[in-house]
Amino acid sequence: MMGLVRGQMEEEMVPFTLMVIMEGCTIGLTILNKTAMNGGMSPFVFIAYTNALGSILLLPYSFFFHHRGIEQPLFTLPLMLRFFFLGLTGVAISQNLAFFGLYYSSPIVVCVMGLLIPAISFLLSIITRTTKLDWRSSSIRVKVIGTLISIMGAIFVQVYKGPFMRKAASDDKLEAKINPPLLIFYSTPDRWVLGSTLLAASSLSVCVWNIIQVGTIKQYPQVMKVVSFYSLAGTIQCSIFSLIMERNINAWKLKLNMELLLIIITAIFGSVIRSTVHASCAEMKGHLYVPMFKPFGIVFATAFGSTFFKNSLHYGSVIGAVITGMGYYTVTWGNIREDELLRKGHNSKDAADDQKVHLLQEDSQV
């Protein structure tokens, strides 16, 4: 009996712990990226090298992952076009917007605008008429309320920063000018509204990517191969764009320093570790389990910003983040109710396809 209880606890605790760790590591990497960009690292170079290394790691791994699967034609024109647009929206556009949004704002704003993804996806589904706005449906009403709350929270973050949660004394400011801090959470001067807008646009790009990959997985169910090939397409697009935007040859020369280490860590974590953990947890607990942990990033960002950094975290950002998080969970609750109705309707095939689709979902955080 004790062994059964222990096994059930492990079954619950292992995915929970892994997902919390993933969110904490994501925020940690976001702070490191902010620090590196403020130190002079070119975001164009970083994006190009990170995606290139990630694609190198993913391509052989995807064929190993599906080596026992049924072979399907991969190099067809419809799939190639889908890979192109998946790479464009999910890698090239979204990542460039996200990095510049981070540069002009802070990690907690990255979290807030990332939480808009379910709300924007719901609005796009109404615009494209894939979802009917039926007010008699409780799930639709819940998602509408959640969308409004999410948008209110995001607007609050944009228009009101408020005072710092942890102010620095005058002596600390002088010390910071003489000895720059090791890590940076927020820097001045900022372009707060521009940064927030760029991050919201990044979330919109991710939502468009979600729509494209739904049909892609139905056509080609081998998930990891889809990931590897759209990552490769996105890498090529990012490289071309980065070469146009960053013409300083010295910026492309890699050295044995923090920037190189950050490129390697980000590529391994984003392409292999986080994707594997998300896929495993989704397979164990269901496709709606992984998105439930996204607001945990707010907790980590607030904890890091208020504990380790002075003059970095604003009260307005935290309040707006909490409001957006409430909206996020409300929309997610609506999705859960809708999923339950589908299961009651015995749409098992659609549920299985939906689960495969959610294995591809990624964070818009950098």
Side-chain angles (χ1 to χ4, degrees):
M1 185 67 180
M2 290 297 295
L4 180 62
V5 174
R6 189 180 297 111
Q8 291 176 343
M9 288 183 63
E10 289 179 356
E11 186 179 345
E12 293 294 329
M13 288 302 299
V14 169
F16 179 87
T17 304
L18 287 174
M19 286 304 306
V20 172
I21 291 173
M22 290 301 101
E23 292 303 319
C25 291
T26 300
I27 296 302
L29 282 175
T30 304
I31 295 172
L32 290 174
N33 289 328
K34 173 74 173 178
T35 304
M37 284 190 290
N38 277 270
M41 179 187 71
S42 170
F44 301 112
V45 174
F46 179 81
I47 293 170
Y49 279 137
T50 301
N51 283 292
L53 180 56
S55 296
I56 292 171
L57 295 171
L58 269 175
L59 200 59
Y61 176 73
S62 66
F63 282 90
F64 172 78
F65 189 86
H66 293 294
H67 72 284
R68 293 183 179 179
I70 300 173
E71 289 297 327
Q72 295 178 261
L74 182 62
F75 300 103
T76 62
L77 181 59
L79 275 179
M80 290 295 104
L81 287 174
R82 285 183 173 275
F83 292 153
F84 174 83
F85 286 108
L86 282 171
L88 182 65
T89 55
V91 179
I93 295 176
S94 64
Q95 288 190 13
N96 277 284
L97 289 172
F99 269 88
F100 277 97
L102 171 63
Y103 181 75
Y104 292 131
S105 58
S106 74
I108 195 166
V109 183
V110 176
C111 297
V112 172
M113 298 304 163
L115 294 179
L116 286 176
I117 290 176
I120 297 174
S121 296
F122 176 63
L123 291 175
L124 286 177
S125 69
I126 294 174
I127 294 170
T128 57
R129 296 184 179 181
T130 55
T131 295
K132 185 180 179 182
L133 198 60
D134 185 3
W135 293 104
R136 295 172 297 177
S137 171
S138 60
S139 62
I140 292 294
R141 293 197 300 269
V142 168
K143 286 194 279 188
V144 168
I145 293 170
T147 299
L148 293 174
I149 295 173
S150 297
I151 294 173
M152 286 172 55
I155 293 174
F156 189 88
V157 169
Q158 277 192 314
V159 301
Y160 178 72
K161 286 195 290 187
F164 289 113
M165 293 186 68
R166 187 182 177 195
K167 292 184 179 180
S170 56
D171 293 341
D172 294 332
K173 293 179 183 179
L174 181 61
E175 177 66 23
K177 290 182 180 179
I178 298 173
N179 298 313
L182 181 63
L183 298 173
I184 296 174
F185 190 92
Y186 167 77
S187 59
T188 54
D190 64 47
R191 296 182 182 178
W192 197 259
V193 175
L194 175 60
S196 302
T197 304
L198 290 174
L199 289 167
S202 175
S203 295
L204 173 61
S205 181
V206 171
C207 293
V208 175
W209 168 83
N210 275 331
I211 294 172
I212 299 170
Q213 53 96 3
V214 167
T216 305
I217 295 302
K218 289 181 179 179
Q219 288 187 20
Y220 197 88
Q222 295 185 344
V223 174
M224 293 309 297
K225 284 186 181 180
V226 173
V227 174
S228 63
F229 277 96
Y230 88 68
S231 296
L232 180 61
T235 298
I236 295 171
Q237 294 162 3
C238 283
S239 299
I240 294 172
F241 180 70
S242 297
L243 286 170
I244 294 172
M245 297 302 296
E246 184 56 79
R247 300 185 180 182
N248 182 8
I249 193 66
N250 292 323
W252 290 91
K253 295 179 180 178
L254 294 177
K255 300 177 183 178
L256 294 175
N257 55 16
M258 184 64 182
E259 292 181 15
L260 177 60
L261 180 62
L262 186 57
I263 289 171
I264 295 172
I265 292 174
T266 303
I268 294 174
F269 177 77
S271 300
V272 180
I273 298 176
R274 186 169 60 189
S275 299
T276 303
V277 170
H278 283 187
S280 300
C281 291
E283 186 176 357
M284 290 172 59
K285 307 297 292 183
H287 64 270
L288 291 173
Y289 184 78
V290 172
M292 294 293 290
F293 288 85
K294 197 169 179 63
F296 277 65
I298 295 173
V299 178
F300 283 107
T302 303
F304 293 159
S306 59
T307 304
F308 303 111
F309 303 94
K310 297 179 180 180
N311 281 6
S312 295
L313 187 64
H314 302 83
Y315 276 104
S317 301
V318 177
I319 295 171
V322 172
I323 295 172
T324 310
M326 292 169 59
Y328 179 92
Y329 276 128
T330 305
V331 177
T332 303
W333 182 34
N335 288 331
I336 293 172
R337 289 178 65 89
E338 189 175 46
D339 190 64
E340 290 174 350
L341 291 174
L342 284 173
R343 292 182 185 279
K344 287 179 181 179
H346 303 290
N347 293 326
S348 57
K349 185 180 183 300
D350 290 341
D353 289 341
D354 194 39
Q355 182 160 342
K356 287 179 179 179
V357 164
H358 278 76
L359 296 182
L360 273 174
Q361 289 192 339
E362 298 175 345
D363 296 330
S364 66
Q365 294 169 323
V366 288

